[in-house]
Amino acid sequence: MSATGIGAPVRRKEDSRFLTGRGTYTDDINRPGQVHAFLLRSPHAHAELRRVDTTSAKAAPGVLAVFAGADMQVGGLPCGWLIHSKDGNPMAEPPHPVLAQGKVRHVGDPIAVVIAETRAQAKDAAELIVVDYQPLPAVVAGEDALKPGAPQLHEQAKGNLCYDWHLGDKQAVDAAFAKAAHVTRLDIVNNRLVANPMEPRAAIGEYDRASGEYTLYTTSQNPHVIRLLMGAFVLQLPEHKLRVVAPDVGGGFGSKIYHYAEEAIVTWAAPHVGRPIKWTAERGESFASDAQGRDHVTHAELALDKDGKFLALRVATIANLGAYLSTFSTAIPTYLYGTLLAGTYTTPAVYVEVKSAFTNTVPVDAYRGAGRPEACYVIERIVDTAARELKIDPAELRRRNFIPKDAYPYQTPVALTYDSGDYFTTLDMAMKAADYAGFAQRREAAAKRGKLRGIGIATYIEACGIAPSAVAGALGARAGLYETAELRVHPTGSVTVFTGTHSHGQGHETTFAQLVSDRLGLPLEMIDVVHGDTNKIPFGMGTYGSRSLPVGGSALVKAMDKVVNKGKKIAAHLLEAAEADIEFKDGKFSVAGTDRNVAFGQVAFAAYVPHNYPIEELEPGLDETAFYDPKNFTYPAGCHIAEIEIDRDTGDVAVVRFTAADDFGRIINPMIVEGQVHGGLAQGIGQALYENAVYSDDGQLVTGSFMDYCMPRADNLPSFDVATHATLCTHNPLGVKGCGEAGAIGAPAAIMNAVADALAPLGIGSLDMPATPERIWRAIAAKTMPQAA
Amino acid sequence: MYNFEYRQAQSVADAAKAVGADEEAKLLAGGMTLIPTLKQRLAKPSDLIDLGGIAELKGIKREGNAVVIGAMTRHVEVATSDVVKGAIPALSHLAEGIGDPQVRNRGTIGGSIANNDPAADYPAAVLGLNATVITNKRRIAADDFFKAMFETALAADEIVTAVSFPVPEKAGYAKFPNPASRYAVVGVLVARTGGAVRVAVTGAGPVVFRQKEMEAALGKSWSADAIAGVKQSAGGLNSDIHASAEYRAHLVTVMAKRAVAAAG
Ligand SMILES: Cc1cc2nc3c(=O)[nH]c(=O)nc-3n(C[C@H](O)[C@H](O)[C@H](O)COP(=O)(O)OP(=O)(O)OC[C@H]3O[C@@H](n4cnc5c(N)ncnc54)[C@H](O)[C@@H]3O)c2cc1C
C-alpha cells in the first residue's frame, strides 16, 4: 500500500478549504447585477386560493417583478419513478405545480415569488400580496388519509392513494404461517425526519441574452439530473442552452437530490427581469420545503419453526408521501424497502404490501438510507421481539438464521441477489468489541445506581451502488443509473478527474484522487477531482444511495484502463518495443524483463507533443471518458450494538456505548469511512431518541425550528467503537460496496432494541421512536404506579 | 427583519431617556431572544438601544452578604466567576447549564429576567434565592418581580441594572432540559437563607413559582426524603410536545429532590 493509494488514511484534500471558510457554496456566489427572490408560502395546510392579488406588491420599493401561479405557466415538477399497483394500474400521479394553482396542500407550499433589489425589499413586498384563502380540512397521517371520508388532496388520487403495491409470494407466506410453531407480531412506526443539512438550499438563475444560455447555480447532489428534469419537463429548455452548477454543497443526506420549485422559478424568471436572481432558504423554509424522510406505519408478522428458524415474514406498511410526489419519493417505500425485507437471513418467503398516501404535509423522499433503514427497523425489531418471546439469546437467534457464508450468490425471495457477505464475522466482531459477554455485570452495576441498562443488536444489509439501469428501468425508473468519469491527462503529466458523482461532504476529492494515485503512481498534488458543473463534467447521475465509489469509482477505473492502454501503445513506440511487452507499474511504462522504461509524464508529453509518435495508428492526446453501468447492486452489511441506560425517575435515555462492525468491501480511505460511519450513527441515534417531525392535526409543523426539532449533538453521543471486515463486491472492479448510509440504517434498531431490553424486566413491550423521556416515563409509570400514568 | 435605528447608549440614564421617549424603542442586551424575534419579523421596533457599551452594567461584586451581578453580565461570566462559585455555587452551576456556549457567551442576566421566559433558568435563582432586582428607578423584591408569562414588574422605561443575591447557607439547582433547546422543561432551585427555605420552580408553569408545600417540608427536615412524598399538582402547568403537564408535575418532585441532594 502506498502512502496515498488504496487503503491509506489520507487526510481530506478539501478540508483546508472548508475549515478555513474558503469553500464556495451557492450563497457565496454573487453574480453581477444580482437581485433577490422571496417566496410567499402558504400558512395553511390545505386551502383553496380564491384570489392572489399582487398589485400592491408589484408597486413596492425595489420590486422588479411578482409572479403567482397564474403568471408562470410551465410544466409541473416531475416524478422520476413509476410504480404500479397490485392490480397492474399505474400509480396516481397528480400534478406538482411550481407555484400553487388554485389550491395549496401543505404549509410552505409556494404561492408567489417576489423579485426585488434586496432580500428585505422582496420580503417587505411579499407582505403586500393579498391572498384570499378558503381553508379546507387537512389530514396529516398516512393512515388517516386512507380512511373513508378523509379530506381529499388531489382529484387524480382517489382516497388519497398513490398506489397499493406488493412484492413477494403471498401464497407461500400464508402456507408457512399455517405451519408455524410460533408467530411474532409487531406494530411499529418509523418516525418522520427532517434532513437538516447544515447548508440551507439556495439557487441562482441567470440568463445570457447574447448566447441564449441559462445558468442555474444550485445546492444539488446531482446537477445533470436537475438539468434533465428542469430542462425537459418543467421549462422546456434544450440542454445545450442550460448549464447547472452545484458548487460546494454543505450536506444533503438525500434532501438535495430532488428538483425543487425554487430552481425552476429563478431560472425561468431570470430573462423576465433581465438580471441574475438569487434565492436562499431561511432555516424555517428548509423545515417547510425540503423533502422529509421516513414516515411509515407498519404491521409485521414473523413465522418461526420450533427451533427458531424463520419460515416467513409478512409486512403491511402505510407510507406517507406528503402533499406531492417528490422526484424519487415513490421508489423509496417500494423498491428500496420491500426488496430489503429478507435482511441478512434465509427467510424463505416474504410478502410485503405498501400503500402510499397523500397528506397535507411536506413531501417525503429519500433520506440517508432511504427505505433500507425502514426495512432494517422492521426486521431487526421483530427478530429481537421473537428472541425475547422464545427466550433465545438474540445473537443466537440471528446466527441460526443468517445466510451461510458459502451460499453466495444468494437469491432472496424479494428480487435481490446478494453477491457476497459474511454476517457471522461482523456479528462476532461487534459482540467482542462491545463485550457482550460482560453485559450482565454492567446491568447489575447500573441497577445499583438506580439505572435500567439495556443492550441491543441490529444487523443490517443495504442495496447500494444504485443501480443496473436495465433493472431500474424494468422496475419503473425513468432514468439510467450508470456513472461517468473523464480522466484528462495534461501534457506534463498531472491529471484532472471529471466525475459525474457529486461530493457534498463525502470527501470524493480525496478518495477519487487516491484511486488515481494508486493506479497511475502519481502524488496527490498532481491530481484534481472536479464535479458539479454540467459544462465541465460528462453526463452523470450524481451522488445518493452510497453509489459514488461503487459506480463512479468503477467508471474512473474504466477511464484509467483506457488511459493506461493508450499509454502502453505510446510507450511501445517510444521504447521501440512491442505493445504486448509493455508493463505499467508505479507510474512507469517498462519493457517486461528489462530496465528500459518511460515515466507516465513522458508518455503524456509525447501524446500532446507528438513529434515522435505513432501518428498513423493513434490519435494524439491522453484524455479518456468511460461510462459504467453496474451489473448488480452492492450489499454492504454489518452489525451494530448499542448499550443504553435509562434514568428511572425521568425516563431519560443515555447512550453509553455504541459498537459497529461493517462490511463495506474494499476500503479506499479508512479515515473517511470512519467519518461516514460516525455521521450516520449520529443520525441513526438521532432518529431513535431525538428527532421527530410533528404536525398538528391542522397541518402545522410543530417542530419547525431547532428549538423544537431535536438534532443529536456531540454530548448526546458516546465515543463510537467502529471496525470493518471486508468481503469484496464480486462484480465491480474495485470490490467496493459503499459506506455512506450504513450508520443511519443499523443504529435506530440497535438503540430501540437496547431500550426494549432495558425495559423488558418491567414487562414493557415495544415503544416507538423517538424514545423520548416522557414516552419512557409513561411506560414505566404505567407498570410501576398505574394510577400515575 | 424590519428596518430599525440602532443606537448605542452611553449610560443608563441615556438608555432610559431613549426608551422613555419612544414607545416603539427596545433595549438590546445579548440579543439572544430579541434578534431571533426580529429576524422572524415578530417584532417591529423603531429603535434598538444597545446596552452593551455601558460599563456600570457589567461585572460581579461581593457586597457584604450578597453577590451583586450587573445586568449586562454574560452567563459565561456567572458560570466561571470565582466570587459566584465561592459564595453561591448553585448559581454558577445554573448559569453553566443555560443553552449552549454561543448563548452563554452572548446572553445576559438582565435580558433573561426582563424577558421572563417561562422556561428560563435565572427566574428560579432570583426567586429561590430571594434576590432583589435593582433598576434605574427602584429595588424590586423577587416575589414582586415575575408577574406572568413574559411579563414582569418593569415599567416601559425601566432598566434592570443589577441583581443582588443574598448568600444562602445552602442552595442547589437541578434542571431537566428540553432536549432540543436546552431551556428548562422543569428547573428547581432550593435554598435556605437566614433559616428560611425557598423552593422555586421554573419551566413547569406559565411563570416561575414557589412550591410552598416543599418549603414547609424542607423547613422541618432538610433532606431529599422530606419532599419525596410531596406531589406537585398538574393543574395549570404547561403542556407541549416535549412534556405534558402530568410529566412536568412529576419532574418537579424529581428535580427538587436532586436540587436538595446537590445543595448538600
Ligand atoms: C438556543 C437558545 C437556547 C437558550 N437556552 C436557554 C436556557 O437553557 N436557559 C435560559 O435561561 N435561557 C436560555 N436562552 C435564553 C438566553 O439565555 C438569554 O438569556 C435570553 O435570550 C435573554 O438575554 P439576552 O441578553 O440575550 O437579552 P435580549 O435578547 O437582548 O433581550 C431580551 C428582552 O429583554 C429586554 N432587556 C434586555 N436587557 C434589559 C435590561 N437590562 N433591562 C430591561 N430590559 C432588558 C430586551 O429589550 C428584550 O425585550 C436560550 C436562548 C437561545 C437562543
Side-chain angles (χ1 to χ4, degrees):
Chain A
M1 181 178 91
S2 80
T4 56
I6 289 176
V10 176
R11 288 202 185 180
R12 305 203 319 173
K13 291 176 68 167
E14 46 270 76
D15 279 349
S16 73
R17 168 168 106 245
F18 293 151
L19 296 175
T20 56
R22 292 189 179 87
T24 303
Y25 298 88
T26 301
D27 192 57
D28 294 327
I29 297 169
N30 291 301
R31 303 297 302 158
Q34 173 182 288
V35 292
H36 298 267
F38 179 77
L39 292 187
L40 176 71
R41 297 178 184 276
S42 173
H44 297 282
H46 201 189
E48 254 164 50
L49 298 178
R50 289 192 171 156
R51 190 168 67 99
V52 180
D53 183 349
T54 58
T55 321
S56 330
K58 281 179 177 150
V63 172
L64 284 90
V66 183
F67 302 106
D71 309 314
M72 194 180 169
Q73 293 298 331
V74 297
L77 300 171
C79 177
W81 205 300
L82 175 68
I83 301 295
H84 285 87
S85 284
K86 281 173 189 167
D87 60 11
N89 284 323
M91 67 188 187
E93 203 171 349
H96 185 176
V98 170
L99 289 172
Q101 302 285 341
K103 203 177 175 195
V104 285
R105 294 180 179 85
H106 69 88
V107 173
D109 210 356
I111 294 169
V113 58
V114 181
I115 297 156
E117 294 286 347
T118 70
R119 209 178 145 71
Q121 286 173 329
K123 243 177 146 166
D124 287 344
E127 290 184 6
L128 303 174
I129 298 174
V130 181
V131 185
D132 184 0
Y133 297 98
Q134 169 69 39
L136 299 168
V139 61
V140 298
E143 285 170 291
D144 295 340
L146 297 179
K147 285 181 185 149
Q152 299 291 302
L153 270 81
H154 299 279
E155 263 170 48
Q156 301 82 352
K158 258 214 162 76
N160 298 317
L161 182 72
C162 179
Y163 52 75
D164 179 1
W165 176 88
H166 70 161
L167 180 70
D169 187 340
K170 183 172 189 301
Q171 271 183 332
V173 168
D174 289 347
F177 270 88
K179 62 169 200 223
H182 182 84
V183 174
T184 294
R185 297 183 172 83
L186 192 63
D187 286 292
I188 52 177
V189 173
N190 205 293
N191 44 323
R192 182 188 280 237
L193 304 176
V194 181
N196 282 321
M198 204 182 288
E199 179 207 23
R201 287 192 299 114
I204 304 169
E206 184 169 4
Y207 178 68
D208 181 342
R209 265 188 216 299
S211 64
E213 235 177 72
Y214 291 81
T215 303
L216 169 68
Y217 300 87
T218 181
T219 49
S220 176
Q221 301 179 208
N222 30 235
H224 271 113
V225 174
I226 303 307
R227 193 185 69 171
L228 178 66
L229 296 177
M230 183 175 83
F233 296 96
V234 185
L235 301 183
Q236 276 82 43
L237 298 176
E239 280 152 315
H240 67 292
K241 292 294 186 196
L242 179 54
R243 174 184 175 202
V244 178
V245 183
D248 284 333
V249 172
F253 312 113
S255 71
K256 292 174 181 168
I257 297 172
Y258 325 115
H259 177 36
Y260 285 99
E262 297 85 358
E263 296 169 322
I265 291 168
V266 295
T267 308
W268 174 85
H272 284 85
V273 300
R275 311 266 291 270
I277 305 167
K278 177 188 277 187
W279 168 82
T280 302
E282 297 181 0
R283 186 55 69 176
E285 284 185 281
S286 305
F287 274 99
S289 70
D290 289 8
Q292 301 178 352
R294 318 276 194 257
D295 204 340
H296 284 194
V297 176
T298 295
H299 176 75
E301 300 180 352
L302 179 67
L304 302 96
D305 74 8
K306 62 175 191 342
D307 303 319
K309 279 287 257 185
F310 305 158
L311 301 175
L313 179 69
R314 188 189 274 150
V315 175
T317 293
I318 294 176
N320 187 341
L321 295 180
Y324 302 100
L325 297 182
S326 173
T327 311
F328 292 110
S329 56
T330 51
I332 311 308
T334 50
Y335 290 109
L336 290 180
Y337 168 68
T339 52
L340 271 302
L341 285 169
T344 52
Y345 307 111
T346 54
T347 319
V350 176
Y351 179 67
V352 51
E353 291 174 286
V354 179
K355 292 189 174 80
S356 285
F358 292 102
T359 62
N360 295 109
T361 61
V362 173
V364 175
D365 208 321
Y367 164 70
R368 201 169 194 169
R372 291 151 292 172
E374 294 91 316
C376 172
Y377 191 65
V378 171
I379 302 165
E380 293 300 306
R381 291 299 316 283
I382 202 165
V383 166
D384 236 54
T385 309
R388 201 166 297 117
E389 288 174 359
L390 296 171
K391 301 195 169 50
I392 301 175
D393 179 80
E396 169 56 23
L397 183 63
R398 287 180 169 86
R399 269 198 210 95
R400 277 186 213 174
N401 288 282
F402 275 159
I403 295 163
K405 288 188 202 182
D406 58 4
Y408 301 94
Y410 180 82
Q411 175 64 51
T412 74
V414 272
L416 299 176
T417 312
Y418 302 164
D419 62 332
S420 66
D422 174 4
Y423 317 132
F424 296 90
T425 300
T426 43
L427 176 70
D428 288 346
M429 283 171 69
M431 286 173 72
K432 207 158 169 208
D435 185 23
Y436 191 80
F439 174 72
Q441 250 174 349
R442 296 195 293 278
R443 171 176 247 166
E444 235 171 82
K448 289 203 182 102
R449 288 181 278 113
K451 304 274 170 136
L452 298 164
R453 194 159 172 131
I455 196 164
I457 299 178
T459 67
Y460 72 90
I461 184 158
E462 32 172 345
C464 295
I466 295 173
S469 296
V471 174
L475 300 180
R478 287 164 166 162
L481 285 160
Y482 48 81
E483 201 39 83
T484 56
E486 179 190 345
L487 188 73
R488 190 179 297 168
V489 182
H490 303 294
T492 57
S494 68
V495 306
T496 306
V497 174
F498 298 87
T499 169
T501 66
H502 186 277
S503 186
H504 31 279
Q506 295 90 341
H508 295 177
E509 289 169 47
T510 306
T511 304
F512 282 46
Q514 282 180 256
L515 295 182
V516 176
S517 173
D518 194 87
R519 182 75 192 277
L520 302 185
L522 299 175
L524 292 178
E525 304 76 56
M526 300 269 284
I527 310 158
D528 259 356
V529 177
V530 173
H531 59 242
D533 184 341
T534 59
N535 270 17
K536 292 183 182 166
I537 60 171
F539 193 99
M541 297 306 295
T543 286
Y544 39 84
S546 307
R547 70 189 299 274
S548 298
L549 196 54
V551 192
S554 297
L556 178 55
V557 170
K558 279 185 73 178
M560 289 194 289
D561 286 345
K562 291 186 183 180
V563 163
V564 169
N565 287 343
K566 186 167 179 182
K568 282 184 180 170
K569 291 191 169 72
I570 300 168
H573 178 87
L574 294 176
L575 294 167
E576 294 176 347
E579 189 193 331
D581 293 338
I582 302 293
E583 283 174 351
F584 181 68
K585 213 177 146 227
D586 299 332
K588 287 193 190 95
F589 293 91
S590 47
V591 182
T594 75
D595 59 359
R596 295 173 53 223
N597 64 63
V598 280
F600 181 77
Q602 288 172 278
V603 167
F605 194 77
Y608 287 97
V609 187
H611 295 164
N612 175 17
Y613 195 82
I615 203 81
E616 296 298 326
E617 297 107 67
L618 211 56
E619 293 169 17
L622 200 52
D623 184 343
E624 298 287 350
T625 298
F627 284 63
Y628 176 81
D629 200 86
K631 296 184 184 67
N632 189 355
F633 295 89
T634 63
Y635 299 97
C639 178
H640 293 177
I641 299 182
E643 209 165 313
I644 60 103
E645 275 188 8
I646 294 173
D647 180 332
R648 282 187 83 121
D649 294 330
T650 62
D652 194 38
V653 179
V655 183
V656 290
R657 200 161 173 167
F658 203 101
T659 312
D662 299 296
D663 178 359
F664 299 136
R666 177 165 285 123
I667 304 291
I668 308 302
N669 182 323
M671 189 163 61
I672 288 179
V673 166
E674 198 168 317
Q676 288 289 305
V677 172
H678 281 211
L681 291 178
Q683 283 175 305
I685 293 169
Q687 168 164 33
L689 297 179
Y690 308 111
E691 300 188 43
N692 203 15
V694 179
Y695 287 88
S696 64
D697 290 341
D698 61 356
Q700 298 292 329
L701 180 59
V702 181
T703 51
S705 86
F706 291 132
M707 296 304 265
D708 288 302
Y709 187 91
C710 185
M711 297 295 284
R713 275 167 270 187
D715 66 349
N716 296 126
L717 305 169
S719 184
F720 301 128
D721 189 348
V722 305
T724 58
H725 166 76
T727 64
L728 298 186
C729 169
T730 60
H731 55 80
N732 67 42
L734 289 164
V736 295
K737 296 185 174 182
C739 70
E741 297 159 292
I745 295 175
I751 294 281
M752 294 308 289
N753 284 342
V755 168
D757 182 54
L759 295 174
L762 303 181
I764 295 168
S766 173
L767 294 182
D768 280 324
M769 301 186 289
T772 58
E774 176 160 10
R775 213 168 244 183
I776 292 190
W777 171 74
R778 279 191 180 280
I780 295 175
K783 292 289 175 186
T784 54
M785 33 178 178
Q787 73 285 359
Chain B
M1 237 182 242
Y2 295 106
N3 281 341
F4 54 79
E5 289 298 320
Y6 170 84
R7 287 201 272 155
Q8 194 151 42
Q10 302 307 318
S11 64
V12 174
D14 182 24
K17 210 170 125 205
V19 280
D22 181 354
E23 255 180 62
E24 306 280 297
K26 271 225 157 249
L27 298 171
L28 174 67
M32 289 293 93
T33 295
L34 188 52
I35 302 290
T37 313
L38 299 184
K39 281 190 169 176
Q40 292 176 66
R41 297 192 158 202
L42 297 172
K44 198 176 179 176
S46 56
D47 298 66
L48 284 196
I49 318 298
D50 190 348
L51 300 177
I54 307 176
E56 61 191 286
L57 291 180
K58 288 179 194 162
I60 299 168
K61 293 183 298 238
R62 175 83 189 228
E63 283 182 6
N65 203 30
V67 172
V68 180
I69 302 178
M72 284 302 292
T73 308
R74 316 274 175 195
H75 307 331
V76 65
E77 296 167 84
V78 176
T80 55
S81 149
D82 288 335
V83 175
V84 180
K85 278 197 215 165
I88 322 177
L91 185 58
S92 57
H93 169 68
L94 175 146
E96 198 175 28
I98 294 176
D100 49 46
Q102 289 84 345
V103 168
R104 293 194 289 275
N105 281 326
R106 294 290 313 163
T108 66
I109 188 169
S112 176
I113 64 167
N115 191 50
N116 193 19
D117 189 305
D121 293 292
Y122 271 128
V126 172
L127 190 61
L129 292 164
N130 197 13
T132 301
V133 178
I134 304 165
T135 77
N136 57 333
K137 301 188 167 182
R138 58 190 166 142
R139 298 169 68 91
I140 309 172
D143 285 319
D144 302 326
F145 186 78
F146 302 103
K147 293 292 185 195
M149 190 182 280
F150 297 111
E151 250 183 74
T152 65
L154 292 172
D157 61 345
E158 195 166 11
I159 297 172
V160 176
T161 57
V163 184
S164 173
F165 292 93
V167 175
E169 287 124 45
K170 282 170 185 292
Y173 182 66
K175 161 185 183 177
F176 191 79
N178 174 316
S181 71
R182 309 278 165 109
Y183 270 96
V185 169
V186 169
V188 181
L189 192 132
V190 299
R192 195 170 72 199
T193 315
V197 172
R198 281 181 171 240
V199 177
V201 180
T202 191
V207 65
V208 63
F209 63 89
R210 288 173 61 184
Q211 223 297 355
K212 298 269 171 80
E213 248 183 289
M214 290 186 184
E215 291 182 356
L218 289 173
K220 283 193 206 119
S221 154
W222 181 268
S223 73
D225 286 344
I227 50 172
V230 181
K231 295 247 182 304
Q232 167 67 41
S233 151
L237 296 194
N238 303 332
S239 190
D240 56 35
I241 57 159
H242 302 288
S244 64
E246 301 81 64
Y247 181 50
R248 280 188 158 90
H250 164 78
L251 288 175
V252 169
T253 308
V254 176
M255 291 303 128
K257 280 165 61 187
R258 290 184 184 179
V260 173

